[in-house]
Amino acid sequence: VRLKQKTMKREKIELEYLLEAPSKEILWNVISTASGLESWFADKVNIKDKKVTFTWKKSETKEAEIVGYRLYSFIRFRWMENMNRGEYFEIRMVQNELTNEYVLEVVDFANEEEVDDQIDLWDAEIDRLREVAGL
């Protein structure tokens, strides 16, 4: 008997959030430092070299590595447990030159049946970011 293995299709998710950040330094700090990420993304964040440990509710821990980074532009993480080397999650800040407002662009990947849940999760995380950072 041969079992047909169902491969889950992964989808790339690209989201944009308009933020009223007073400065690029404040926004960059919130998305790229351990203390900034702890304020909205995870309960505890430890960054050592390019390895990042995220902890939620004192029990769930995930490790990532920083695979891309440009000051005041973007930070890209790859989950260590993910076997697909082409997948990552990225947070990019882009400033509109006319309005001086910042857009936070988020790129992530999810199984096709989990895309809506993943979008809801990012929406909630960004709402938290706006709240804690006063954006």
Side-chain angles (χ1 to χ4, degrees), residues 22-30 72 93 102:
S23 74
K24 66 180 182 182
E25 289 81 10
I26 289 173
L27 186 53
W28 181 249
N29 184 54
V30 170
Y72 302 122
M93 52 187 267
Y102 286 93

Side-chain angles (χ1 to χ4, degrees), residues 107-133:
V107 176
D108 201 357
F109 292 81
N111 294 329
E112 61 183 341
E113 67 277 0
E114 297 171 354
V115 167
D116 289 342
D117 290 342
Q118 196 69 11
I119 291 171
D120 289 346
L121 180 65
W122 276 110
D123 287 350
E125 296 288 5
I126 300 300
D127 282 348
R128 223 168 111 203
L129 180 152
R130 282 189 176 114
E131 203 174 291
V132 300

Side-chain angles (χ1 to χ4, degrees), residues 11-115:
E11 290 190 20
K12 185 177 188 180
I13 303 167
E14 297 178 280
L15 306 167
E16 288 187 356
Y17 301 94
L18 185 64
L19 300 175
E20 295 174 23
S23 74
K24 66 180 182 182
E25 289 81 10
I26 289 173
L27 186 53
W28 181 249
N29 184 54
V30 170
I31 66 172
S32 68
T33 66
S35 61
L37 289 163
E38 282 177 3
S39 71
W40 65 279
F41 186 74
D43 297 326
K44 183 88 179 105
V45 179
N46 185 4
I47 301 175
K48 187 172 165 86
D49 298 320
K50 290 186 179 225
K51 298 280 186 259
V52 186
T53 305
F54 296 98
T55 305
W56 295 270
K57 297 182 177 109
K58 295 186 180 165
S59 59
E60 185 189 349
T61 298
K62 284 181 90 170
E63 291 194 335
E65 70 176 318
I66 297 170
V67 293
Y69 172 97
R70 186 177 306 128
L71 187 64
Y72 302 122
S73 179
F74 75 94
I75 187 161
R76 179 181 290 183
F77 303 90
R78 188 178 61 77
W79 295 117
M80 301 300 279
E81 68 194 28
N82 192 338
M83 295 297 145
N84 186 341
R85 295 287 222 193
E87 289 189 12
Y88 56 88
F89 76 97
E90 178 178 283
I91 306 169
R92 177 178 297 270
M93 52 187 267
V94 179
Q95 187 174 22
N96 180 317
E97 292 178 17
L98 295 175
T99 64
N100 283 332
E101 294 173 310
Y102 286 93
V103 173
L104 213 57
E105 297 175 349
V106 175
V107 176
D108 201 357
F109 292 81
N111 294 329
E112 61 183 341
E113 67 277 0
E114 297 171 354
V115 167

